[in-house]
Amino acid sequence: MGSLLRMLAATSLLALSAGGAAGQANVVNPHGTLPSDLDCASCHTANSWAPIKQSLDFDHGRTAFPLTGSHSEAQCVRCHLSLRFDQPKVELGDCTSCHLDVHQGALGQECATCHTTTSFQQVEAVELHARTEFPLTGSHLQVSCESCHVDDRGGAFSARDAECVSCHLGDYQRTNVIDHETLGFPTTCEQCHGTLSWRATESFDHARLSGGFGLVGAHVGLECASCHALPSLEPLWSPASQDDCLTCHTVDYEREHGGNGFPTTCLTCHTVETWSGAAIDHPALSGGFRLLGSHEQAACSSCHSGPQFGVVFSAANDEDCVACHQADYDGEHAGSGFPTTCTQCHTVDSWSGALFDHLQLSGFPLLGEHAALACESCHIPPNHALRFQAQSANDCVACHQADYDRQHAGTQIPTECATCHSVDGWGTQTFDHVTISGGFQLLGRHLTAACSACHSGPNGALPWAPSSQDDCVACHRTDYDQQHAGTNIPTDCLACHTVNSWAGAAFDHTVQSGGFGLAGAHSTAACSACHSGPNNAVPWAPSNQDDCVACHQADYDAQHAGSGYSTACLSCHNVNQWTGATFNHGSVSGGFNLVGAHSSAACSACHSGPNNAVPWAPTTQDDCVACHQADYNAKHAGTGYPTTCLSCHNVNQWTGATFNHGSVSGFNLVGAHSSVACSTCHSGPGGAVPWSPANQDDCVACHQADYNAEHAGTGYPTTCLSCHNVNQWTGATFNHGTVSGGFNLVGAHNSAACSTCHSGPGGAVPWNPTNQNDCVACHQADYNAEHAGTGYPTTCLDCHNVNQWTGATFNHDAAFFPIYSGKHQGKWSNNCATCHTNPSNYAVFTCLSCHAHNKKDMDDKHKGRSGYSYDSNACFNCHPRGRT
């Protein structure tokens, strides 16, 4: 910055010394062409040109080269070598104009692909290398770049052969533990080795190379010498298969199992992980005898006490306990008749704590108090013979006849004791009156009444015979006669009374009267008010609950005689009182409700005819014009307005009508249409519209003259809203892609004059490109001028862009043959004619200018190669990417 200040000061002094004697200096801007709105005060002060401000107001981001990263920290004079600040003209991304490309073009021209403006050294090398043919993994991640790119010091980093042996041939030849070269191992190292280390042979397929023996379990960690003789790798044993353990492990078998008759299928018990912790499958080895419970913990010698692990017992299966435990059975159960199926009571875990299933052995479950009885209560020792002969578990009386006789003798109570009693004790009986009595359930007061209250006959017999649960009068005839004799009240007592009490009966007038419920004032009226005839008969005969006039004819005549009012009294009155009637005009008039202004109008306003008749006959609630024809004629006669008044007016008042043009005409007034005078469109006789647009968006039907004035002969479509809007014609937005059928104006097309392409009659385009990127359809002449006869493709965007033809970027390495990278980098003179000897046809090329046809260069290198020919096309067919 100090150098720049000195340069500014010197320039200021030169400018001042060039002035006249009167002190008028011809100030010259030494900075070249700068933005016109850039004020000198952005950098300079009013005191002097130098020194400039410590903090400049100039924003470099306004230029074509915004400062980011290290650029924002660099001194101005690092780039601006003179006071011409419009120099140098460097475009953003053109790094090589200032920075030396240490890669010599091998990695392309886009530095930002790998580097940032913060630091050239901060690159994601691993990620970048992953984009090449040789991603870095394992130990390759730890080595320096120069370890492999030994001839590319300084960062050139040309492509290397990706095959392992190209770098590791010496390792292959020097290996002496397993002589790879003598044994003829392949040089495709990755078949066995990984990139983590040479010893990490995770890709080594032992099964494939050995003829089927895969390394699993403990075999995985063994040294090769454990099974193979080195360095020849001859196997020390020859197992028949993967599971033939014994061939190699005969010594182990003899040491552990010699002479005991164990099978030699080692994997039956052992695993490939370790010999210890063998899991023996006793059922498989013994023919089905499972080691369960205490057997699992017993020492093998407890059963295998014979010679060579022989078993001294011969159990038929693992539930044949007595075959081994006959002495135990005899000690406990001899002479008892107990079965020898020991597991019915005992478990495999222990003899003690046996669970005796009395039900299974005898068919009689021990429940309730039976479970706690001593066996001798029912069984006679010592042979456990039964004292009683019950037919089933519920044949209680077979054993308990004495108990029954003591409690129920002469009562006719059945002997099915379980009907009332339970197995838990005689004192917890539950008496089911319904079952015993044949269906009569004890409810309400019956539940607490003494048995003798009903069972008052001999031996507890009933004096009455009710037909059902609800036949109250069969027993309570005296009670009925005392209360209701001569009243005609039915004898189905439960219609009013309950089973809890006679008092507090609830009388249901609706049920008793055949449907007439006591509601409103009827519910509080004295019974005699209606039941005033002989024997409480009703003098009237209403047809239903709402037939008020049948009883209240006199009331109707007093109020409404001759009025024509309906006799459906409840239309206005209610069941509580006659006064305060509410009149529903809609119901009475057959559907005409009083709403809006009608609700407050005097009845005489409409009912002005004889006997309050209405002079008009509207068909519906909304047929306004039937009554208001005079109002319509006064306002709308001859206008053609519809007579559906509610389209604009409301029921509250005629004034303040809201007119919905869309509903009336189908054409909504939007945009500029909403503010124009009606006469602008309705200019025909009687307000008729001279045009007939097909729909809301058919602008040209009315605006044909406007279209002709602007677009006549242009071929523009008449769908005006594609560019214009409903608010105004000016400021139209033209979407070339939509109108042209898919050709968007991008790049230089965006700023070109329309006539540049639309140069034909009526603005027609003389060319017919198939799509957006079919450049050559229009630019054939440009192609011919530059590339005629070169064989260049006509897919122009491969090299050019839509902004300009100049500055095309041609990627020879990606599209054709690598000459800026790999083995051809730096081997040619940067002149296309080095390989392309025919300047009029770049499809012709030669390899023979550099690769001479002699023994040393070509013939020896291709010795033994089938189809070798010293011909450029043959070279390219075998070496399309320039590799050996």
Side-chain angles (χ1 to χ4, degrees), residues 855-868:
K855 184 174 178 63
K856 176 182 178 184
D857 288 343
M858 290 291 107
D859 294 349
D860 280 357
K861 290 183 177 179
H862 291 82
K863 187 175 182 180
R865 298 289 184 183
S866 176
Y868 163 61

Side-chain angles (χ1 to χ4, degrees), residues 206 213-215 219 222 226-228 235-255 264 266 275:
H206 190 277
F213 197 96
L215 297 182
H219 291 149
L222 291 178
S226 300
C227 300
H228 295 272
L236 301 178
W237 303 283
S238 298
S241 68
Q242 180 81 33
D243 301 334
D244 182 11
C245 308
L246 188 68
T247 298
C248 305
H249 294 279
T250 299
V251 174
D252 300 300
Y253 176 86
E254 293 296 339
R255 183 175 60 252
T264 57
C266 306
W275 287 113

Side-chain angles (χ1 to χ4, degrees), residues 137-439:
T137 60
S139 296
H140 291 149
L141 291 169
Q142 310 300 322
V143 300
S144 65
C145 303
E146 288 76 8
S147 298
C148 298
H149 297 280
V150 293
D151 297 326
D152 298 317
R153 302 290 176 178
F157 299 157
S158 61
R160 299 295 309 277
D161 196 326
E163 294 183 1
C164 306
V165 77
S166 63
C167 296
H168 294 283
L169 180 59
D171 298 302
Y172 174 89
Q173 295 171 336
R174 286 191 298 271
T175 302
N176 51 24
V177 176
I178 299 176
D179 190 347
H180 288 40
E181 197 165 26
T182 301
L183 293 171
F185 275 22
T187 57
T188 50
C189 310
E190 65 275 8
Q191 286 191 21
C192 302
H193 300 281
T195 58
L196 190 62
S197 72
W198 286 114
R199 294 187 62 80
T201 57
E202 63 269 14
S203 300
F204 178 65
D205 189 348
H206 190 277
R208 182 176 60 83
L209 295 175
S210 66
F213 197 96
L215 297 182
V216 293
H219 291 149
V220 173
L222 291 178
E223 294 289 338
C224 301
S226 300
C227 300
H228 295 272
L230 299 179
S232 66
L233 284 184
E234 285 295 322
L236 301 178
W237 303 283
S238 298
S241 68
Q242 180 81 33
D243 301 334
D244 182 11
C245 308
L246 188 68
T247 298
C248 305
H249 294 279
T250 299
V251 174
D252 300 300
Y253 176 86
E254 293 296 339
R255 183 175 60 252
E256 295 286 339
H257 307 307
N260 59 23
F262 272 27
T264 57
T265 52
C266 306
L267 292 176
T268 302
C269 303
H270 299 277
T271 70
V272 294
E273 307 293 340
T274 176
W275 287 113
S276 59
I280 181 169
D281 187 349
H282 196 275
L285 295 175
S286 64
F289 196 96
R290 297 170 296 169
L291 296 181
L292 305 174
S294 294
H295 288 154
E296 188 176 8
Q297 308 300 323
C300 300
S301 57
S302 299
C303 298
H304 296 272
S305 56
Q308 295 187 348
F309 276 90
V311 180
V312 295
F313 318 104
S314 297
N317 53 53
D318 50 22
E319 294 184 353
D320 184 11
C321 308
V322 78
C324 305
H325 294 279
Q326 184 69 53
D328 299 298
Y329 176 87
D330 293 341
E332 296 285 340
H333 305 309
S336 65
F338 275 22
T340 57
T341 51
C342 307
T343 55
Q344 285 188 304
C345 302
H346 300 276
T347 70
V348 294
D349 296 313
S350 171
W351 286 115
S352 59
L355 299 173
F356 179 66
D357 189 345
H358 192 277
L359 172 63
Q360 183 182 11
L361 293 175
S362 67
F364 192 97
L366 296 181
L367 304 174
E369 293 205 348
H370 288 154
L373 289 176
C375 300
E376 291 78 7
S377 299
C378 299
H379 295 273
I380 303 171
N383 293 326
H384 295 96
L386 277 172
R387 296 181 185 274
F388 317 103
Q389 296 297 322
Q391 300 300 312
S392 68
N394 294 324
D395 185 11
C396 308
V397 78
C399 304
H400 294 280
Q401 184 68 55
D403 299 300
Y404 176 87
D405 293 342
R406 184 171 58 253
Q407 296 286 334
H408 306 309
T411 62
Q412 299 181 357
I413 291 178
T415 56
E416 289 89 0
C417 307
T419 303
C420 302
H421 300 277
S422 74
V423 294
D424 294 320
W426 289 115
T428 58
Q429 68 270 14
T430 55
F431 180 67
D432 186 352
H433 191 276
V434 176
T435 303
I436 301 296
S437 66

Side-chain angles (χ1 to χ4, degrees), residues 783 787-792 832 835-846:
Y783 177 87
H787 307 309
T790 61
Y792 275 24
C832 300
C835 301
H836 297 278
T837 56
N838 185 346
S840 63
N841 186 358
Y842 278 88
V844 177
F845 64 92
T846 181

Side-chain angles (χ1 to χ4, degrees), residues 317-661:
N317 53 53
D318 50 22
E319 294 184 353
D320 184 11
C321 308
V322 78
C324 305
H325 294 279
Q326 184 69 53
D328 299 298
Y329 176 87
D330 293 341
E332 296 285 340
H333 305 309
S336 65
F338 275 22
T340 57
T341 51
C342 307
T343 55
Q344 285 188 304
C345 302
H346 300 276
T347 70
V348 294
D349 296 313
S350 171
W351 286 115
S352 59
L355 299 173
F356 179 66
D357 189 345
H358 192 277
L359 172 63
Q360 183 182 11
L361 293 175
S362 67
F364 192 97
L366 296 181
L367 304 174
E369 293 205 348
H370 288 154
L373 289 176
C375 300
E376 291 78 7
S377 299
C378 299
H379 295 273
I380 303 171
N383 293 326
H384 295 96
L386 277 172
R387 296 181 185 274
F388 317 103
Q389 296 297 322
Q391 300 300 312
S392 68
N394 294 324
D395 185 11
C396 308
V397 78
C399 304
H400 294 280
Q401 184 68 55
D403 299 300
Y404 176 87
D405 293 342
R406 184 171 58 253
Q407 296 286 334
H408 306 309
T411 62
Q412 299 181 357
I413 291 178
T415 56
E416 289 89 0
C417 307
T419 303
C420 302
H421 300 277
S422 74
V423 294
D424 294 320
W426 289 115
T428 58
Q429 68 270 14
T430 55
F431 180 67
D432 186 352
H433 191 276
V434 176
T435 303
I436 301 296
S437 66
F440 196 98
Q441 187 176 4
L442 298 181
L443 302 173
R445 291 291 295 276
H446 288 154
L447 187 62
T448 57
C451 299
S452 59
C454 296
H455 295 274
S456 57
N459 294 324
L462 276 173
W464 312 285
S467 60
S468 69
Q469 181 80 34
D470 300 334
D471 184 11
C472 306
V473 78
C475 304
H476 294 279
R477 168 60 70 176
T478 302
D479 298 300
Y480 176 85
D481 292 342
Q482 184 180 356
Q483 295 287 331
H484 306 310
T487 61
N488 292 323
I489 291 178
T491 58
D492 50 337
C493 307
L494 291 176
C496 302
H497 299 276
T498 70
V499 295
N500 295 313
S501 171
W502 287 116
F507 180 67
D508 189 341
H509 190 276
T510 304
V511 174
Q512 300 298 333
S513 66
F516 197 98
L518 297 181
H522 288 151
S523 64
T524 58
C527 299
S528 59
C530 296
H531 295 273
S532 57
N535 293 324
N536 296 320
V538 178
W540 311 286
S543 58
N544 57 51
Q545 180 79 34
D546 299 333
D547 184 10
C548 306
V549 78
C551 304
H552 294 278
Q553 183 70 52
D555 298 300
Y556 175 86
D557 293 341
Q559 296 288 327
H560 306 310
S563 65
Y565 275 20
S566 163
T567 58
C569 306
L570 291 176
S571 299
C572 302
H573 299 277
N574 60 61
V575 295
N576 295 314
Q577 58 185 14
W578 288 114
T579 58
T582 57
F583 180 66
N584 189 322
H585 191 276
S587 300
V588 174
S589 64
F592 197 98
N593 294 304
L594 298 181
V595 294
H598 288 152
S599 64
S600 58
C603 299
S604 60
C606 297
H607 295 272
S608 57
N611 292 324
N612 296 320
V614 178
W616 312 284
T619 57
T620 67
Q621 180 79 34
D622 300 335
D623 184 11
C624 306
V625 77
C627 305
H628 294 279
Q629 184 70 55
D631 298 301
Y632 176 86
N633 293 340
K635 294 287 185 180
H636 306 310
T639 61
Y641 275 23
T643 57
T644 53
C645 307
L646 291 177
S647 297
C648 302
H649 300 277
N650 60 61
V651 295
N652 295 314
Q653 58 185 16
W654 287 112
T655 59
T658 57
F659 180 64
N660 189 322
H661 193 278

